[in-house]
Amino acid sequence: MQKLGRLLTAMVTPFDEKGEVDYAQARKLARALLQSGSDGVLVSGTTGESPTLTIAEKLRLFGEVRDEVGDGGAVIAGTGSYNTRESTELTKEAEKTGVDACLLVAPYYNKPTQEGMYQHFSGIAAATNLPCIMYNVPGRTSSNIDSDTVIRLSKVDNIVGVKEASANFHQISEIIGGVGEEFLVYSGNDGDTLLLMALGGYGVIGVITHLVGAQTKDMMNLFMAGKTGEAAVIHRHLLGLVDAMFCVGNPIPLKYAMNQLGFRVGGTRLPLCGPDGNVASAIVETLKNYKIDLPIV
């Protein structure tokens, strides 16, 4: 399998003034992200407000972004949910749009056992030729994909990686030590990227990389070149931005920041709403401390 890239951005979904998906702006954003350091984009992940997108909107987004990106970067489709049958059907339809891989979040709300997790992911993978990346984010799903389960699933031919947002570095170490070298372990938390790579992880599927993609890539490249001290300087500098972009539920702060910077992505769909005055002011003040890599055109 061709590597998908070390730096992927979980792209926001732009909406227009009526709250409808702005597909033209989604194309523009995907192109801008690749220009500012991303190797590829994740469409319809949590940051893309996947729970409030319809199936038709998701499939059109996959196709529009795939068409816009061309050979310039990877496109990963967020096709997972708590419903195995629905996730399987969406993944099969997403494959027809030409995306490079799919991201499958751990089932949320219904809290399956580890065997249920195994059957969920392996069943979806069996129904598609797409490379599949699992997404472990216990803070949102209330369920953890245990390291033993990830290692077991890594033996499925087209399950090629995991996005790990547990912040459990003991577990992440067990995963990295138990899977093959070709299995991609991505950080699902921007502030954990350098730490995960120090353990042998592969890269990040990020959020702040909308704004500081080039700087994040510099940090990763410095680390891989053995310049760990210089990489750590960038890591520490970016932590303030990480805190600001997650001060309330993602992607509320990020969308507000992008709109303030002049890259219009619209608001969020309910139940997410805009930030209150104190949060909005804090975001604006934080942005003053950072060089923004995203081209604002």
Side-chain angles (χ1 to χ4, degrees):
M1 183 201 76
Q2 184 176 358
K3 292 290 178 71
L4 297 170
R6 288 185 186 272
L7 197 163
L8 306 174
T9 293
M11 196 176 89
V12 301
T13 299
F15 296 128
D16 63 20
E17 293 81 0
K18 296 180 180 180
E20 300 299 323
V21 176
D22 188 335
Y23 296 100
Q25 196 70 350
R27 283 174 169 264
K28 180 178 174 181
L29 177 57
R31 185 169 63 251
L33 290 171
L34 296 181
Q35 291 170 351
S36 58
S38 296
D39 299 315
V41 293
L42 164 65
V43 180
S44 183
T46 307
T47 308
E49 299 177 73
S50 57
T52 63
L53 296 176
T54 67
I55 297 297
E57 288 173 331
K58 291 178 182 181
L59 289 171
R60 182 173 171 186
L61 272 170
F62 300 155
E64 295 260 2
V65 174
R66 172 74 283 166
D67 180 68
E68 183 66 31
V69 166
D71 295 330
V75 178
I76 294 86
T79 59
S81 73
Y82 54 23
N83 182 330
T84 305
R85 181 176 294 180
E86 182 180 280
S87 301
T88 302
E89 291 306 311
L90 180 55
T91 302
K92 288 162 65 176
E93 290 302 309
E95 184 173 355
K96 297 175 185 177
T97 69
V99 296
D100 298 290
C102 64
L103 184 82
L104 305 172
V105 68
Y108 42 89
Y109 189 74
N110 45 19
K111 301 180 75 169
T113 64
Q114 292 302 305
E115 180 59 28
M117 293 272 199
Y118 179 83
Q119 292 189 29
H120 173 80
F121 289 116
S122 61
I124 298 169
T128 182
N129 292 312
L130 287 175
C132 301
I133 301 171
M134 299 174 287
Y135 180 18
N136 189 37
V137 57
R140 286 183 177 270
T141 64
S142 77
S143 297
N144 181 61
I145 316 173
D146 291 349
S147 54
D148 288 346
T149 305
V150 174
I151 293 167
R152 183 182 175 198
L153 284 161
S154 74
K155 296 176 172 57
V156 177
D157 285 345
N158 62 326
I159 296 182
V160 302
V162 63
K163 177 184 178 183
E164 246 293 348
S166 68
N168 181 339
F169 288 99
H170 180 82
Q171 172 171 287
I172 292 168
S173 297
E174 289 182 335
I175 291 169
I176 293 170
V179 298
E181 291 184 3
E182 294 301 309
F183 191 81
L184 310 177
V185 180
Y186 287 97
S187 174
N189 295 325
D190 289 279
D192 293 348
T193 304
L194 186 62
L195 309 178
L196 179 137
M197 292 184 70
L199 294 173
Y202 182 65
V204 63
I205 301 177
V207 173
I208 69 165
T209 49
H210 281 82
L211 307 178
V212 289
Q215 293 167 69
T216 302
K217 177 158 278 187
D218 285 346
M219 178 188 73
M220 299 166 73
N221 287 339
L222 285 166
F223 175 79
M224 290 185 291
K227 299 178 181 180
T228 56
E230 294 177 51
V233 169
I234 299 175
H235 162 77
R236 291 192 295 268
H237 173 62
L238 295 180
L239 288 178
L241 187 61
V242 173
D243 290 343
M245 291 301 102
F246 291 91
C247 63
V248 293
N250 174 48
I252 293 170
L254 175 62
K255 277 194 153 182
Y256 183 80
M258 293 177 70
N259 288 326
Q260 290 298 304
L261 291 166
F263 200 113
R264 306 303 298 177
V265 292
T268 51
R269 282 182 174 173
L270 288 171
L272 300 184
C273 62
D276 64 28
N278 290 334
V279 170
S281 295
I283 292 169
V284 170
E285 287 303 309
T286 299
L287 291 175
K288 294 177 181 177
N289 299 322
Y290 290 92
K291 172 183 174 290
I292 302 302
D293 299 324
L294 184 71
I296 309 296
V297 292

